Amino acid sequence: MEEMRQIATKAGRKWRCLKSIEATKAGIAQRDAFGRRVSEINKAEAQAKLRIIKEIQG
């Protein structure tokens, strides 16, 4: 599990993983690339879970 920290943003306090916090310090392009990679991983995990659920129900 990722280590999390609470940070202050314009919209209020938010929980962020340490990797995300470090990515913001590296610059906009690197931060955006990190965000895209995490989004792709999350999407793949969600699709895998959906396939498993469909197999169980099917």
Side-chain angles (χ1 to χ4, degrees), residues 9-56:
T9 68
K10 292 178 187 176
R13 298 194 60 80
K14 304 282 182 173
W15 286 98
R16 296 288 183 258
C17 73
L18 291 180
K19 288 181 182 180
S20 176
I21 294 168
E22 290 302 316
T24 63
K25 295 177 184 177
I28 294 171
Q30 289 168 319
R31 179 202 64 201
D32 290 347
F34 173 81
R36 282 190 298 274
R37 283 193 309 273
V38 171
S39 293
E40 289 172 8
I41 291 167
N42 291 342
K43 183 178 178 181
E45 287 178 357
Q47 289 172 341
K49 288 177 184 177
L50 184 59
R51 280 193 299 272
I52 292 168
I53 291 170
K54 286 183 178 181
E55 288 174 10
I56 291 171

